[in-house]
Amino acid sequence: MNRILSLLIVLCLWAPDLCARTEFQLEKGWKFSRTDAVDAARPDFDDAGWQSVTVPHDWAVYGPFDLNNDPQVVAIEQDGETVASLKPGRTGALPFVGVGWYRIRFDVPGFGPGRCADILFDGAMSNARVYLNGVEIGRWPYGYNSFHFDVTPFLKERDNLLAVRLENLPESSRWYPGAGLYRNVRVILNEAVHIPVWGTHLTVPEVSPAYARVNLRTEVAVPDGNRRRLTLKTRIRDASGRVVAEDEAELPRGDIRVFEQTFLLDSPALWSPETPRLYTAESRLCADGVQTDAYSTRFGVRKLEIIPDQGMFLNGEPVKFRGVCLHHDLGPLGAAVNRSALRRQLSIMKEMGANAVRTAHNMPAPELVELCDEMGLMVMVETFDEWRAPKMRNGYHLYFDEWAERDLVNVVRHFRNNASVVMWCIGNEVPDQSSYDGAKIARRLQDICHREDPMRPVTMGMDRVLDAIDTHFAAVMDVAGFNYRTHFYRKAYDELPQQIVMGSETASTFSSRGTYHFPVERTVNKVREDNQSSGYDLDCGSWSNLPEDDFVQHDDYDWCIGEFVWTGFDYLGEPTPYHEIWPNHSSLFGIVDLAGLPKDRYYLYRSHWRPDTETLHILPHWTWPGREGEVTPVFVYTNYPSAELFVNGRSQGRIAKDTTATAASTENEQAARELRRQRRYRLMWMDVRYEPGTLRVVAYDKDGNPAAEREVHTAGKPFRIELSADRTTLAADGKDLSFITVKVVDKAGNLCPGASQEVSFRVKGAGSYRAAANGDPTNLEQFHLPQMHLFKGQLVAVVQSAETPGEIVFEASAGGVKGARLRLVSE
């Protein structure tokens, strides 16, 4: 019998000997099967032949890729006719469809009369049916949301059997949703008098440099007939642990089940993306003077205002969203949540200059929101991709009427105390926006958000802008969020009462890392023979635009409060514009590829979003055998106003950014307007002819003085493997990860962009090989196998720590080049 080895997290704050709340995760000891066994919920069912897994677990990411995994036939318009289009890689071509069962046995020492228990699922994909000791205790269809059940009547002190049946239906998603218990599962134990799951609601209605007023509402679960005197003592601590305020309240007699407390914080430390300072409210619940529960609520002190016509203000200072949309998958790790992988994603985005994240198109893992609290990223928490009107045959519309309010209540109560969460998004591109009934649904969902959390505004991503204006759908929203359609921003501003426009989804520019196509020109839905898009960052969708088309709106108009770029990272599924072409299993929208390697576009955003930090990036690479003498344009992304380019020492001219280009530019031709906008943010030498050697760029500051320079060299023959890790010291917890970039370089250390050989990996010591990815959306190699081909000379391998400290040795080898070894430490 497998027993829980997870660490018991005792949440007692001041009196550990009296504390009754305990919490532990169900991680190890799970048994898993893809079979739909009839009696799998029974405690005496024989699961000895099932696979042993650790949760979080995504059963589908191990593949293999196959175009027959959820093939979707979609009706599209072509030459005025409706035709059927097969989209084989739409959901990532991974085997997520079908049924999976999970079973685990565990003990709960000390559980008995007078105690109560909940089981909390952070997410389970999908259509979860949960059984404890043979009894069905509940179900939850939506795989992205957190949910919990009171299991007090069914739990025993010894030998409990928890079984979970999950089923992903075909044609239920437009991207890879993951499969299985892909987020954490927790057991929470309490005394009968306790604070329930998500039982606190903390608001900061008044904020100034001198003081902040904090209100805390705390629910309490009380057995019927309770006659005991209930008190709640709360202390607020700052980041250093110092008590800065405290209060004790008594629950009034009667049916009231909520404590209300108010605190004043002198000279509060304010939360912002630059200074993500946090406080903790530590509450102790007592019955007749005996402690029965302890509860901790982490929060931040901040003031977010959105003022018509003027814009958005954080703590009194103007701010705009420099945001990215993030799907929930973690590339080669699939949908199984991992805090280390999430931290890496967010760190890469912060380094680029992002200050916000949209959790597209669903509820996030709690680890993501907690990290955004700590790292300083504002969060728009999104909920649904469908309402009543369907997009997918088996999409959320099947559950909307019965489950939408329950799903919305759960997500708002879950995250309404988090400092980073600044806005609720109730939907993405729902077809209902084209109907008057849709406006009524939007109002209902927004009212639910306001009821559960009156402090945050509500928005949604609207793509049918004219319909949304005409049906009053857009007028209902606290904030009008538009997906693309920048040419309608002015109309929306003029006609909507909010006088505020937000780019809830922007750009959808396609590119493949290290890949360049000629001639260099702006294209729409361009399909190329190599199934890749160009790194010149001029390919986009028919519905979308290039980055500068958004930059100019938010730079020039105060009432444009920022953007959320589609997307920060490539993700599994939606290989636009290659939906109909196989093989293609992942998106090309990302500023960063599926392996976590920045594309050239990363530096365009960085140069704009971090104007006071040096960025000087040259593209393309300068290794083009066979292109000698041919026109090979050179772009430079920089925060400096001008630069001069040299090819083998010969100047190609000095170029300055065109600051006269504005959102209101009136050139007669669209192409001329687009080009001027590009020249406002990019430096482009369009007539450079390739010759082997050195590209050198010198950037000049606003006074015309040389400020920085960079060089790119033609690479020689591949010579050796070069390794670099994002982190070399890991926690010995069996979960921590190091992401190791593997490159093939020449003798001088120049990246060889044509290198494509297979690299094999070996890990020894206190760690193990976890996965690899190369960022190629056409690559069908399985992520978990210890070898992979390079793409444009690079890939990323992932090493996972063991539970014992020690040295980890990572080795990489490939034919025709010298191998490499990297040492890590787990402690």
Side-chain angles (χ1 to χ4, degrees):
M1 181 185 299
N2 291 309
R3 301 297 184 185
I4 295 174
L5 298 178
S6 302
L7 175 67
L8 292 179
I9 306 172
V10 181
L11 300 179
C12 185
L13 302 175
W14 304 321
D17 56 321
L18 298 176
C19 184
R21 172 181 291 260
T22 59
E23 177 179 329
F24 56 86
Q25 291 184 187
L26 298 176
E27 295 180 298
K28 294 184 178 181
W30 288 91
K31 289 289 193 173
F32 167 72
S33 176
R34 286 298 311 273
T35 59
D36 192 9
V38 176
D39 298 325
R42 291 175 49 178
D44 60 353
F45 178 84
D46 184 5
D47 59 15
W50 286 17
Q51 180 185 359
S52 296
V53 299
T54 298
V55 168
H57 175 250
D58 178 354
W59 81 56
V61 73
Y62 301 97
F65 294 101
D66 191 316
L67 60 83
N68 294 309
N69 288 328
D70 195 34
Q72 296 187 9
V73 179
V74 181
I76 63 170
E77 292 294 325
Q78 183 173 303
D79 298 327
E81 297 183 3
T82 300
V83 297
S85 169
L86 176 65
K87 297 190 174 184
R90 192 180 201 191
T91 48
L94 289 166
F96 77 94
V97 172
V99 174
W101 276 92
Y102 292 82
R103 289 166 50 94
I104 189 171
R105 294 185 182 275
F106 63 98
D107 296 337
V108 187
F111 184 79
R115 300 277 279 160
C116 57
D118 287 87
I119 294 183
L120 170 62
F121 293 81
D122 288 343
M125 188 62 69
S126 58
N127 293 293
R129 303 191 81 96
V130 182
Y131 305 83
L132 184 61
N133 297 323
V135 179
E136 183 170 1
I137 59 172
R139 68 186 185 97
W140 204 276
Y142 199 28
Y144 293 107
N145 209 355
S146 298
F147 57 94
H148 59 93
F149 302 122
D150 180 354
V151 297
T152 305
F154 316 106
L155 195 66
K156 304 180 298 181
E157 185 174 14
R158 302 290 178 189
D159 197 22
N160 292 282
L161 187 284
L162 178 66
V164 184
R165 183 188 187 273
L166 300 170
E167 182 176 14
N168 285 331
L169 300 175
E171 297 185 50
S172 59
S173 180
R174 299 187 297 118
W175 55 86
Y176 177 68
L181 292 177
Y182 72 120
R183 294 179 183 168
N184 284 301
V185 181
R186 297 175 172 86
V187 178
I188 303 169
L189 308 173
N190 279 299
E191 294 296 314
V193 176
H194 66 278
I195 300 167
V197 175
W198 310 324
T200 61
H201 183 195
L202 190 147
T203 59
V204 190
E206 294 182 47
V207 178
S208 72
Y211 76 95
R213 180 163 63 88
V214 177
N215 291 342
L216 179 64
R217 290 171 53 86
T218 304
E219 297 179 41
V220 58
V222 181
D224 292 339
N226 176 71
R227 293 291 184 268
R228 292 188 288 178
R229 174 176 173 267
L230 302 183
T231 58
L232 186 75
K233 185 171 184 178
T234 299
R235 292 176 175 174
I236 295 181
R237 298 181 186 272
D238 63 15
S240 69
R242 182 173 60 96
V243 175
V244 294
E246 57 186 314
D247 179 74
E248 184 170 356
E250 182 173 344
L251 194 68
R253 297 287 183 180
D255 293 331
I256 298 173
R257 294 291 185 267
V258 178
F259 289 96
E260 299 207 25
Q261 295 175 293
T262 299
F263 310 85
L264 288 181
L265 304 183
D266 293 326
S267 304
L270 302 184
W271 187 96
S272 73
E274 294 74 32
T275 58
R277 298 164 178 150
L278 296 170
Y279 290 85
T280 303
E282 299 176 345
S283 299
R284 182 176 64 179
L285 177 64
C286 294
D288 290 338
V290 178
Q291 180 174 324
T292 64
D293 200 1
Y295 199 97
S296 178
T297 305
R298 193 170 70 166
F299 68 100
V301 176
R302 58 161 178 75
K303 182 179 183 180
L304 185 78
E305 301 172 280
I306 298 177
I307 302 174
D309 198 44
Q310 296 182 38
M312 183 166 64
F313 299 82
L314 181 62
N315 302 327
E317 299 295 325
V319 65
K320 300 210 177 197
F321 288 125
R322 305 188 304 271
V324 295
C325 300
L326 290 180
H327 259 312
H328 71 300
D329 79 66
L330 295 169
L333 303 177
V337 71
N338 180 279
R339 185 180 293 269
S340 180
L342 285 170
R343 184 185 294 108
R344 174 187 180 241
Q345 280 197 344
L346 297 176
S347 296
I348 292 170
M349 294 293 96
K350 283 279 288 187
E351 170 60 24
M352 182 179 67
N355 68 1
V357 168
R358 174 193 181 208
T359 68
H361 298 299
N362 44 259
M363 294 82 166
E367 290 86 352
L368 175 76
V369 178
E370 291 164 6
L371 285 167
C372 288
D373 286 347
E374 297 164 9
M375 298 173 67
L377 284 153
M378 296 180 284
V379 180
M380 178 202 293
V381 172
E382 194 156 281
T383 51
F384 309 118
D385 191 51
E386 280 186 8
W387 292 353
R388 284 184 182 147
K391 295 181 184 179
M392 307 299 302
R393 179 167 62 92
N394 290 313
Y396 189 76
H397 70 276
L398 298 176
Y399 315 106
F400 181 82
D401 285 337
E402 180 182 357
W403 288 90
E405 181 167 0
R406 279 184 276 184
D407 275 319
L408 203 52
V409 167
N410 271 23
V411 73
V412 174
R413 291 186 180 180
H414 193 170
F415 297 121
R416 64 187 176 185
N417 296 326
N418 290 85
S420 60
V421 176
V422 297
M423 197 175 293
W424 307 111
C425 183
I426 57 175
N428 170 68
E429 297 181 359
V430 296
D432 311 73
Q433 67 193 285
S434 295
S435 71
Y436 288 100
D437 284 343
K440 296 173 184 176
I441 297 172
R443 175 60 186 270
R444 172 175 160 255
L445 297 179
Q446 182 168 262
D447 285 349
I448 293 169
C449 291
H450 288 165
R451 181 192 74 204
E452 300 296 325
D453 174 29
M455 300 300 293
R456 291 174 176 83
V458 178
T459 188
M460 75 158 288
M462 295 173 279
D463 62 326
R464 305 180 184 186
V465 175
L466 297 182
D467 286 357
I469 293 175
D470 291 344
T471 62
H472 310 303
F473 190 102
V476 167
M477 295 292 100
D478 293 333
V479 175
F482 294 125
N483 290 6
Y484 316 106
R485 281 71 178 183
T486 56
H487 52 291
F488 290 136
Y489 277 17
R490 186 76 211 192
K491 176 181 176 66
Y493 167 73
D494 290 338
E495 297 184 16
L496 292 176
Q498 298 96 325
Q499 290 185 281
I500 287 291
V501 171
M502 177 182 67
S504 46
E505 187 172 314
T506 64
S508 273
T509 304
F510 316 137
S511 62
S512 301
R513 176 185 51 78
T515 304
Y516 308 94
H517 294 100
F518 305 96
V520 176
E521 57 189 358
R522 182 169 180 152
T523 65
V524 174
N525 292 349
K526 182 71 173 179
V527 173
R528 305 177 189 275
E529 290 184 1
D530 61 356
N531 290 9
Q532 306 286 353
S533 293
S534 179
Y536 277 106
D537 304 316
L538 294 173
D539 292 356
C540 66
S542 57
W543 68 93
S544 64
N545 48 263
L546 302 183
E548 48 268 66
D549 300 328
D550 299 301
F551 291 167
V552 72
Q553 300 287 334
H554 301 106
D555 284 354
D556 290 358
Y557 297 129
D558 291 339
W559 45 265
C560 281
I561 62 171
E563 64 172 317
F564 292 86
V565 181
W566 192 262
T567 52
F569 279 70
D570 278 339
Y571 55 93
L572 292 165
E574 284 197 310
T576 316
Y578 296 100
H579 275 306
E580 296 83 19
I581 299 172
W582 182 256
N584 270 94
H585 62 63
S586 56
S587 78
L588 295 91
F589 297 116
I591 299 171
V592 176
D593 74 13
L594 198 70
L597 296 172
K599 304 178 187 179
D600 294 290
R601 195 163 11 117
Y602 179 92
Y603 300 96
L604 176 59
Y605 281 97
R606 190 180 192 274
S607 68
H608 180 57
W609 284 354
R610 299 187 66 184
D612 297 327
T613 301
E614 182 177 299
T615 298
L616 187 55
H617 178 75
I618 307 171
L619 66 136
H621 62 73
W622 209 237
T623 304
W624 295 102
R627 283 194 63 84
E628 288 79 5
E630 295 188 40
V631 172
T632 306
V634 175
F635 290 6
V636 168
Y637 299 153
T638 182
N639 63 310
Y640 293 108
S642 65
E644 186 173 8
L645 178 69
F646 299 85
V647 176
N648 292 329
R650 298 190 304 276
S651 176
Q652 307 298 302
R654 182 169 168 177
I655 296 177
K657 295 178 182 176
D658 182 2
T659 57
T660 65
T662 68
S665 295
T666 58
E667 287 86 354
N668 291 329
E669 295 185 7
Q670 179 179 342
R673 291 196 300 273
E674 292 170 349
L675 182 59
R676 285 195 67 199
R677 289 176 181 176
Q678 291 167 27
R679 289 174 174 168
R680 178 171 171 177
Y681 301 100
R682 314 186 195 204
L683 301 177
M684 304 183 294
W685 289 261
M686 299 302 295
D687 299 321
V688 178
R689 294 187 180 273
Y690 174 68
E691 61 180 62
T694 300
L695 281 181
R696 175 170 166 261
V697 64
V698 178
Y700 298 89
D701 63 20
K702 60 183 178 59
D703 298 318
N705 300 312
E709 63 178 78
R710 293 287 185 277
E711 291 185 354
V712 174
H713 303 277
T714 301
K717 293 181 180 180
F719 179 68
R720 62 181 174 88
I721 292 174
E722 181 179 274
L723 304 176
S724 60
D726 69 328
R727 299 165 64 232
T728 56
T729 301
L730 305 182
D733 60 4
K735 305 174 188 177
D736 208 1
L737 303 175
S738 178
F739 291 80
I740 300 172
T741 300
V742 180
K743 298 181 180 180
V744 166
V745 299
D746 66 9
K747 285 186 177 181
N750 299 305
L751 175 69
C752 296
S756 60
Q757 54 261 64
E758 183 181 76
V759 182
S760 297
F761 316 111
R762 185 181 180 190
V763 179
K764 297 183 291 186
S768 60
Y769 171 78
R770 183 69 176 80
N774 63 11
D776 179 3
T778 72
N779 179 45
L780 301 183
E781 295 172 280
Q782 291 170 273
F783 299 128
H784 67 287
L785 299 179
Q787 64 272 333
M788 183 164 285
H789 286 81
L790 298 159
F791 178 62
K792 306 302 177 182
Q794 298 187 78
L795 58 78
V796 171
V798 187
V799 171
Q800 182 168 298
S801 68
E803 293 184 349
T804 54
E807 184 181 66
I808 305 170
V809 179
F810 174 81
E811 297 176 346
S813 60
V817 295
K818 290 185 176 181
R821 175 181 294 185
L822 185 67
R823 296 184 184 277
L824 312 173
V825 175
S826 177
E827 60 184 28

